[in-house]
Each structure stands twice: as C-alpha cells, then as structure tokens.
Amino acid sequence: MQKSLTSLGALNWDDLKFFLEVARTRKASSAAKRLAVDYTTVSRRINALETALGTLLFEKSRNNGFILTAEGQRLLGYAESIESTLHLACEQVSGSGVALSGHIRMGCTEGFGSFFITPQLSHFLDTYPAISVDILPLPHFISLSKREADIVIALERPEHGPYVCCKLCDYNLRLYATRDYLEQHPSIHSTADLAEHRFISYVDDLAFSSELLYLANLLPGAQAHLRSTSVIAQYVAALQGRALAILPCFLAAQDPRLLPVLAEEVNITRQFWMYCREDLRKLKRITLLWDYIRETTELNRAFLLGESNVVGFID
C-alpha cells in the first residue's frame, strides 16, 4: 500500500473504534458482534482507515485472524489513549450523574470471583444502580492489553505494563474433607499420615499459575487420582467424600459439610493483586469499584484468612 501524507480531514475518527475492536479480538466477526454491526461493515471501516493512513494495519490470516502490523501496533497505543481520554472527558464535562454510571468489566480468578467478589458486587450495584458490571471468574489469565477486562484480580503481580497495581489481600488455604471421609479412612494425626490418602488437585501442566501447585509443595509424590483445572470442580469433588482437597478458606469454610484437616500444619497463605490500566484508573466508576473492593476485602480479612466463616458486606 502506497504511503502518503495523511490529512486529518480524510480521517474518520469513528473508524478507530472499529480498529480497536479488531485489534483486541483479532477477528472481524467478533468485533462486529461487540459493535452490533455486520462483518462487512467492520471490514469496510478497517479498509477506509488503512486508506486514510496510507498504510497496512493488519495482516490477514485464515488461521490466526487479523494480526497487527508494526504500524498497527504503533497506532494501537495512540488509539487507546484517545479512547481513554474521551471517556475521561465525558466524565469531566457531563456532571456527576454521568460520572456515577457506565459499564465495567472485571476479571478474577474462578473461585474468588464466584464465591466472594460476585456477592460483594451485588451489594455495590445496590448503591450505584446506574453502573453495570460484567464479572469474569475464569480459571485462566485475563489480558488487560487486549481489553478483556477493565480491572483484574490475579494471583500474581504483573511484571510490566502501564498498570496501577496494589496488593489486595492475603488469603489462606487448608486441607478439607467430609466427615464421612474422615470416619471411613485411616486417621490423620500428622502430615506423614497423608501418604495413605488420595487427593483432588490441579492438572499440573495446565495450571495457569505456579501459585496453584499446592499439593506438590506439601507432599512431593502425592497421588491425585482426580484432577481439574477448576477449583470449583475440586470443591464439588471433595463433597463426594472420596478424597482430600486443598481449598481456599473463603470457598470451603462456608460449607459445614467440609472439615479442615491438620488446620495448623496445612495452612497455606497466598495473595491477590488488583490492577488496571493507568488511563482507566482515572475514571470515576473505576475508582468507585476499586475502592469498594479494597474496603470489602479489608472488612473480610478474618474470613479470607479462615479465621471466620461469616462474610461481611458494606452497608
């Protein structure tokens, strides 16, 4: 494609919205769905933007979809800055009513997102009914760079990127079993006795973080006859009374069917980190949810550490 000097008059700013969605999803069909238009509209708008800029922004591949060229990568940073600036400008000039409205997408680990964050969000939305939230409690890494979420709660602090990050909280995990299991299997008085028992655990080579490989650290060589990438699946399996499982206290302590085993000896502490893009952190709705999540995790510190089985909510 022949490059030429671009006139601002030839550039349709709305085309950048289409560019951003294609860059994030890598598929024109996915971008079309998110923008509520058809595939041909997305394709036409991308072609128009490339013509206006006089450069190729994507390499099209049958197998890999739309891959950003070097020029596309450079444009992506500017386009995201424009997008964030527009969001912030709307909040600043439209008054407090708009500032307390809008949409947020929050990514989170599966168990914490399902058993703690989701109930807390229900109370948050009672206070701010004009804000809507998508919660993505997924057993894999969620990308901020692709805008899969606006805020992420993860097991590990991001190593690099234009992010605002804070340690959210500590949480504990313990070894759990049903009463029936403990009554029908050899007694457990020390970690040495665990060698006679079966476990439920993660699929080691599919765990999205090394922080999840508790069993290997606790009992090297221990046999997990049932493994899953989902902590919720492990929790459900533990309830069947046929094996032991290391589970977060915020998930298992609420369930009277599960009892902690060797609570003093098997007490694993991990952390959650919360982060978002620097440009989004300035948005009022992001600030509101960010501060709320920090406040409610502090309120529930004892619950997350397994020192209480009662969840608290902010009035």
Side-chain angles (χ1 to χ4, degrees):
M1 182 178 293
Q2 182 66 37
K3 289 189 177 183
S4 61
L5 186 62
T6 302
S7 166
L8 288 178
L11 184 65
N12 185 337
W13 296 102
D14 199 41
D15 290 342
L16 290 176
K17 178 174 64 176
F18 289 80
F19 166 77
L20 283 169
E21 290 300 336
V22 174
R24 290 164 183 165
T25 63
R26 292 192 176 186
K27 294 182 179 179
S29 57
S30 298
K33 185 175 181 179
R34 290 175 66 165
L35 292 167
V37 298
D38 57 36
Y39 174 94
T40 57
T41 298
V42 174
S43 181
R44 176 171 53 80
R45 300 299 285 267
I46 294 299
N47 289 336
L49 182 60
E50 289 180 330
T51 299
L53 294 174
T55 191
L56 192 67
L57 299 174
F58 295 98
E59 295 285 355
K60 286 82 170 179
S61 165
R62 182 181 297 273
N63 295 324
N64 299 318
F66 284 61
I67 307 300
L68 287 167
T69 62
E71 290 80 5
Q73 287 283 1
R74 284 195 289 271
L75 179 62
L76 180 61
Y78 291 113
E80 288 187 331
S81 295
I82 292 170
E83 180 186 51
S84 299
T85 300
L86 286 172
H87 283 308
L88 186 59
C90 287
E91 283 194 353
Q92 295 297 320
V93 304
S94 299
S96 60
V98 172
L100 298 180
S101 64
H103 184 71
I104 306 170
R105 178 168 285 188
M106 170 172 274
C108 193
T109 57
E110 183 192 28
F112 194 56
S114 298
F115 283 79
F116 182 78
I117 294 296
T118 297
Q120 298 296 334
L121 287 178
S122 298
H123 288 254
F124 172 81
L125 295 175
D126 284 344
T127 305
Y128 301 104
I131 295 177
S132 62
V133 180
D134 289 345
I135 177 70
L136 311 177
L138 301 171
H140 60 72
F141 177 75
I142 297 171
S143 173
L144 282 185
S145 62
K146 296 179 181 178
R147 293 294 175 94
E148 293 175 348
D150 302 312
I151 300 175
V152 168
I153 298 174
L155 293 170
E156 300 173 14
R157 180 174 187 156
E159 294 181 359
H160 53 78
Y163 306 134
V164 177
C165 179
C166 72
K167 179 183 172 181
L168 183 59
C169 62
D170 289 327
Y171 71 98
N172 282 347
L173 304 99
R174 292 197 173 110
L175 188 63
Y176 287 94
T178 63
R179 188 178 302 277
D180 285 347
Y181 178 88
L182 295 174
E183 291 174 351
Q184 297 172 15
H185 292 79
S187 298
I188 303 173
H189 300 291
S190 69
T191 54
D193 296 331
L194 296 176
E196 301 181 54
H197 293 264
R198 290 188 173 189
F199 293 87
I200 301 158
S201 187
Y202 282 93
V203 182
D204 292 2
D205 58 326
L206 294 180
F208 67 90
S209 170
S210 61
E211 296 292 318
L212 298 173
L213 303 180
Y214 322 113
L215 185 60
N217 295 326
L218 174 67
L219 284 176
Q223 295 297 312
H225 290 79
L226 179 59
R227 301 187 299 168
S228 174
T229 57
S230 165
V231 69
I232 295 178
Q234 294 173 43
Y235 160 70
V236 172
L239 290 174
Q240 307 313 305
R242 287 170 170 77
L244 300 159
I246 298 175
L247 298 169
C249 297
F250 61 74
L251 192 163
Q254 296 183 80
D255 195 325
R257 295 171 294 179
L258 291 172
L259 302 176
V261 178
L262 301 177
E264 297 302 319
E265 294 90 336
V266 184
N267 193 3
I268 302 165
T269 301
R270 291 290 188 268
Q271 296 78 41
F272 282 121
W273 298 84
M274 183 165 65
Y275 55 99
C276 70
R277 291 180 61 91
E278 290 176 343
D279 49 2
L280 293 180
R281 183 66 178 84
K282 300 173 185 177
L283 296 176
K284 183 64 175 177
R285 62 180 180 274
I286 298 294
T287 298
L288 286 170
L289 183 55
W290 179 282
D291 292 346
Y292 184 90
I293 294 298
R294 293 196 67 178
E295 186 177 352
T296 194
T297 51
E298 179 59 29
L299 174 67
N300 285 284
R301 182 177 182 276
F303 173 73
L304 296 171
L305 292 175
E307 298 168 0
S308 167
N309 60 0
V310 179
V311 186
F313 297 94
I314 298 172
D315 294 330

